[in-house]
Amino acid sequence: MVRKPLLVLASGLGAVALLASCASGDTTAATEPAGGGETITVEHALGTTEIPADVERVATIGWGNHDVALALGVAPVGVDDQTWSMDGGDGLGLYDWSLEAYEELGAEEPVIFDTADGTDFEAIADSEPDLILAGYSGLTEEEYATLSEIAPVVAYPEVPWYTPWRETIRIDSEGLGKADEGLALIDDLDAQIADAVADEPAIKGKKAAFFFINAADLSTLSVYATGDSRTAFLGDLGFDFPQVAVDAAAEGSFYADISAENIDQLADVDVIVSYGDDSMLEALQADPLWSTLPAVQNGAVVTVGLGDAFSGAVTPTALSIPWMLDDYVALLGDAAAKAE
Amino acid sequence: MATDTLVVRTRRDAPGRQAGTSRRVGLVVIGIVAVLAAAALSLAFGSRLVSLGEIADGLGAFARGEVPADVGAIAVQERIPRTVLAIVAGAALGLSGAVMQAITRNPIADPGILGVNTGAALFVVCGIAFFGISSVYEYLGLALLGSALAALFVYLVGSVGPGGTTPIKLALAGAATTAALSSLVSAVLLPRAQAMTEFRFWQVGGVGGAQWGSMAVVVPLLAVAALVAFALASGMNALALGDDVAVGLGVRVGPTRALAAIAGVVLCAAVTAVCGPIAFVGLMVPHVMRLLSGPDQRWILPLSALGGAVLLVLADTAGRVIGSPGEVEAGILTAFLGAPVLVIIARRTRMRGL
């Protein structure tokens, strides 16, 4: 699934570098405390955090927060490994788009925090951060309290593990004292998305959702709710959502389990997006229940791999969006065209 | 249901009293009827509410070798292979548990005790993590190999030293091996979240992935192992009296125990390979059957097979109904039922001063 990632990343970074060079150091959230030194105040789900303006050493935990910092020209000194979605044999534990950004910035490779056993407090403390970014994470109140003793912490805006990529950029960039650059980055990514989908008119108005399907056992499936960042990104690309994804969100869950016996509840899905490889469509078409779905009959099934970089990239981050956008949109456009 | 009244009635009569042959034959007949009744429930009920017409359509189309057009009827048809798998797997697990309890003379022995489940798990995990396996047949092969090697290892460890293979040494070797293999499984899994995701599906035992193809591979294995187990039933009766008495009765203790162990391992390993580890069926069912029928293995073995089939079919059906619109795996329900049973067994055992 390698598709000229270098080129995509380079163009994305170029745009970011341009933005960074013309943006000012002011932030909308900045205040002037009595002491005279500038302090940034960020509000999030776990409290209000005061951050000194002269932050130099940034640590990030959770998913994709390091990519926000990197996109804004700050190379974190320590990063959570991203292995929950990738193969453990992949060296440093970061994806290419992040590693290349480190290279681009001429920065040293970060210390990788081990996530196998929860938050790696010792390694985080050892990296001596001035700021810990966790805008997209699952921090608990206890973890937040412990981390706050190490350095100021920016947690998620509302719900753990449920932060859309724009919100991740917004809150992390506020913490970095680069709120304006953050907004510019969002605008830039939105422009890239608009460009990419302009050539795929078939997407508009089709209903798509992100699924978890186990090819070895097709008797059940999971569908991610509309607010989950994977499904939400399909919405960013112009898709509408099927009822099951809307209902799951309304029930406050980030996914819904459905038995294949109730496969007709998915009849309004035009495009199925799922982890897995090319054999998935064949398996679905061979299954008596799945094969009753129009999306399966039409072959409108997009598989994004499993455990490889592309399957990680589709949970969008500030840097993974430019890295995967054209390829992903092309796959989705093809599938949407089949749904006609 | 028939089984309910059965349990209530026999609690009053048993335990301790030797059941008569006519009553045991009655138990077998009731067991067969219960399997058929459970199968009927499994076909009729699931995550989806289906009408009688859809049930008839689904079964009729299956008999004619067709796939029906209506989703309800297809759902019914799709319940056929999983019901068959639940019967086969439940019977094999029940039988396997009865064999293991007999040869180890350990009341809480079940297929897990000889390291079988963890051996299978370790091989499957390594297959996922290092070789990217994903097909049912690859799971099957690795799980069988892993179970067999783990069981063999436990048996070898359990038979070294003075006194040869004793039940207590087997149980200890099994527990130690299980602990060691479990930590290896964790060591392989922890840094590989992706493998963990795939392993998760296999690790929660269930019959939802039933396919005729994989069943065709394991059923002959299971049949041979079951026949071996039945053939050894009287030998196992002698083992229950203690090895010395068994020798005095002319039973060749070593070969009997080894052959029975192989049969027990194959029974549960083959099921584990197809369904993932399904806990507690092998533990619970033989206990209940021993209460009902008395200590004769010639009756406990077939009754355990019937009881295991009923339990797993009902667990799978209940899991689908409870979990609607999703499903709850049968392995979760058997564990849910099994934990209190384990406590009861442990308490009873202590009171008897075993």
Side-chain angles (χ1 to χ4, degrees), chain A residues 84 212 259 261-262 264 288 306, chain B residues 47-48 79 193-194 325 327:
Chain A
W84 59 269
F212 197 104
S259 163
E261 293 194 354
N262 298 307
D264 48 348
L306 191 61
Chain B
S47 319
R48 184 188 187 88
R79 290 172 190 168
Q194 193 53 56
E327 294 183 2

Side-chain angles (χ1 to χ4, degrees), chain B residues 22 24-25 49 52 74 79 98 133 154 187 199 238 242 252 338 344:
Chain B
S22 63
R24 290 149 159 184
V25 172
L49 211 57
L52 279 174
I74 302 174
R79 290 172 190 168
I133 65 156
V154 168
F199 179 68
R252 296 170 65 205
I344 294 168

